[in-house]
Amino acid sequence: MKHSVQDIIYSSIEYHNENSDTPVDINGGDTAKLFSEGGPLDSLALVSLISDVEANLKSRTGIDVHLLAYASQKNPGNRDFATVGSLIALVQNALNGKQKISK
């Protein structure tokens, strides 16, 4: 599932980059900054990106995940949105939790 999650996230970032004045430099791969010190996203851009990731997850996997709610329940104040890699890990954990619940 990791490869699919990566594809979904990078696809969402590419869409964001095409439609934003604050592109994410994905040349850094999983260490590329998103919503952290020195990251290009403000809170509105982050919410937009997360919304797109959630929509892509739903359309490609059929699983409805609410990442902002999941992240705040898991660990309030965490850094799940700091980098591309931390976002990938968050999505994988959220999907794993959803799959366990639905079984």
Side-chain angles (χ1 to χ4, degrees):
M1 177 66 83
K2 181 175 181 177
H3 185 67
S4 296
V5 168
Q6 285 178 320
D7 289 346
I8 290 168
I9 290 173
Y10 278 100
S11 173
S12 297
I13 291 171
E14 288 170 7
Y15 178 79
H16 164 82
N17 286 350
E18 292 169 3
N19 297 289
S20 175
D21 294 333
T22 56
V24 174
D25 181 6
I26 55 175
N27 291 325
D30 288 358
T31 62
K33 292 183 178 185
L34 295 174
F35 187 68
S36 60
E37 187 174 330
L41 302 183
D42 61 15
S43 58
L44 186 58
L46 175 66
V47 170
S48 178
L49 176 63
I50 296 305
S51 177
D52 193 49
V53 169
E54 291 172 346
N56 283 334
L57 284 167
K58 177 74 172 171
S59 69
R60 294 187 190 185
T61 68
I63 300 173
D64 193 18
V65 177
H66 301 283
L67 296 174
L68 294 172
Y70 178 79
S72 66
Q73 289 174 355
K74 183 178 72 78
N75 185 13
N78 64 21
R79 302 297 301 160
D80 287 321
F81 306 111
T83 66
V84 172
S86 62
L87 179 57
I88 290 170
L90 173 72
V91 171
Q92 289 172 325
N93 290 335
L95 287 175
N96 289 339
K98 280 283 196 174
Q99 290 167 349
K100 288 178 187 173
I101 291 170
S102 63
K103 287 183 180 178

